[in-house]
Amino acid sequence: MDERLVAIVGYDGAELIDIACVTTSLGMVSQYGHARVPYRTRLLTLGGRPISLPTGLSLQGGHPLERATGPFDTLLVTGGLGHEEAAGNPLIVAHVRRLARESRRVASICTGAGVLAAAGLLNGRRVTTHWRYAGDMAARHPGVVVDPDPIYIRDGNLITSAGVTSALDLSVALIEEDHGPEMARLIARHLVIYLQRPGNQAQMSIFTTAPPPANDVVRRLVEHVNADLGGDLSAAALAAHAGISVRHLTRLFLTHLGRTPAQFVRDARLEAAAHLLTGTSLPMPAVAARCGFGSAETLRQAFTGKYGIAPSRYRQAHGRL
């Protein structure tokens, strides 16, 4: 094999970052890695026409999607604001389905998973997409197992990734699979990115703060939780604090926060732990105690389960002290 041919399916409304992350990352393998089997990327668009981007720019250099033939090493569908129109276009969907049969592996960036789903390529598969669109995708395609949390998911020869810059994580993962970990580290250094975010790391930023809940009872309980993370924050204790039943408490949290009381408390404690890990030099047992975890090991298990990285490694990578 002289080269790995990667076909990237673009359309009007595609996200430029999704495309550029892949083409730049894979291009660096030949530029800096001197790989014996480099990548060659090919942008496929209907009629080979330029595609318009949401930013007002246009992207040229496309090859006609209708005339493309394999075999391809990788078929990748990009995401973007135009994903719904693309998924509803029978020509795009039919050719994606055809080309998938001529490709060693199939991948999507962000909302590009919706195009793969429309082509019937995700039925029975576990996939991810941008967290904002995951619920809608699951509703439209009940035969697809949509997990909104991971940065990327591999299911056999299928790889789906989350929003925007997760395209870098997917690209580096592909490079490691094809060329080994040393090449992946080399490309990551040139890209100046953190190597290597695990695929199961949560999409949502650890420090993304939700707006205060509209319900007065829930808002007061949220304030109570954040003020006393090391205290008794069991559902029974929270219900007693608010003067309501545990059943009503759970109903309120699910309605206004989308989580059970226990899930909300766990997430609040983990976010506080992340702040302490990066902003203080407290030893791990002290961080665990302040945030309501019984031990450093309990903190480690919960933190790794939620964010895909051990608290000690997170401190090393992001600590400011």
Side-chain angles (χ1 to χ4, degrees):
M1 182 169 56
D2 296 327
E3 60 185 5
R4 297 180 183 273
L5 185 57
V6 178
I8 301 175
V9 177
Y11 45 81
D12 286 334
E15 174 55 57
L16 178 60
I17 294 177
D18 289 4
I19 298 171
C21 282
V22 175
T23 57
T24 298
S25 302
L26 300 187
M28 284 183 173
V29 171
S30 57
Q31 290 175 329
Y32 303 114
H34 307 294
R36 289 181 295 177
V37 186
Y39 298 98
R40 180 162 64 92
T41 56
R42 178 179 294 172
L43 177 64
L44 305 180
T45 65
L46 284 177
R49 295 186 296 271
I51 54 176
S52 58
L53 308 178
T55 55
L57 301 175
S58 63
L59 187 62
Q60 302 188 36
H63 297 262
L65 174 63
E66 304 91 321
R67 299 181 186 176
T69 57
F72 291 106
D73 181 77
T74 306
L75 172 69
L76 188 146
V77 180
T78 184
L81 295 178
H83 69 278
E84 289 189 2
E85 289 79 5
N89 188 314
L91 278 178
I92 293 178
V93 170
H95 287 295
V96 165
R97 185 185 302 115
R98 173 180 62 84
L99 292 176
R101 296 193 295 265
E102 303 175 22
S103 303
R104 181 174 69 90
R105 63 189 170 197
V106 177
S108 65
I109 304 294
C110 193
T111 51
V115 180
L116 295 182
L121 300 173
L122 303 187
N123 292 332
R125 312 292 285 273
R126 177 173 172 259
V127 306
T128 194
T129 187
H130 192 290
W131 60 267
R132 184 176 182 179
Y133 299 95
D136 180 64
M137 181 174 168
R140 292 189 181 192
H141 304 281
V144 180
V145 182
V146 182
D147 186 341
D149 286 334
I151 292 175
Y152 62 87
I153 292 176
R154 168 181 286 282
D155 186 340
N157 71 331
L158 172 72
I159 309 175
T160 53
S161 68
V164 196
T165 57
S166 65
L168 284 175
D169 299 284
L170 181 142
S171 299
V172 173
L174 295 181
I175 292 169
E176 180 171 5
E177 177 182 311
D178 297 338
H179 299 279
E182 288 302 319
M183 179 72 78
R185 281 192 286 269
L186 172 65
I187 301 307
R189 286 197 297 271
H190 280 286
L191 290 169
V192 196
I193 62 173
Y194 174 65
L195 183 73
Q196 180 176 23
R197 291 196 297 176
N200 64 349
Q201 183 172 322
Q203 288 187 42
M204 296 296 290
S205 167
I206 292 176
F207 303 117
T208 298
T209 302
N215 183 273
D216 290 340
V217 173
V218 177
R219 183 168 62 252
R220 288 195 297 270
L221 285 172
V222 166
E223 293 171 353
H224 172 68
V225 168
N226 289 326
D228 188 23
L229 289 171
D232 181 2
L233 299 178
S234 64
L238 291 176
H241 181 80
I244 58 178
S245 68
V246 171
R247 186 173 184 178
H248 186 47
L249 170 79
T250 302
R251 187 183 305 115
L252 286 174
F253 269 60
L254 289 172
T255 299
H256 296 281
L257 299 176
R259 288 170 283 181
T260 65
Q263 290 169 334
F264 176 81
V265 169
R266 181 204 62 182
D267 291 346
R269 284 171 165 166
L270 288 171
E271 181 173 340
H275 279 289
L276 291 177
L277 288 168
T278 59
T280 75
S281 57
L282 287 171
M284 208 64 67
V287 172
R290 283 199 186 188
C291 298
F293 293 97
S295 65
E297 176 59 20
T298 302
L299 168 62
R300 186 194 68 78
Q301 292 178 0
F303 201 94
T304 304
K306 177 68 175 178
Y307 300 123
I309 184 172
S312 56
R313 286 189 59 198
Y314 181 80
R315 169 174 269 173
Q316 291 170 0
H318 302 286
R320 299 187 294 271
L321 297 179

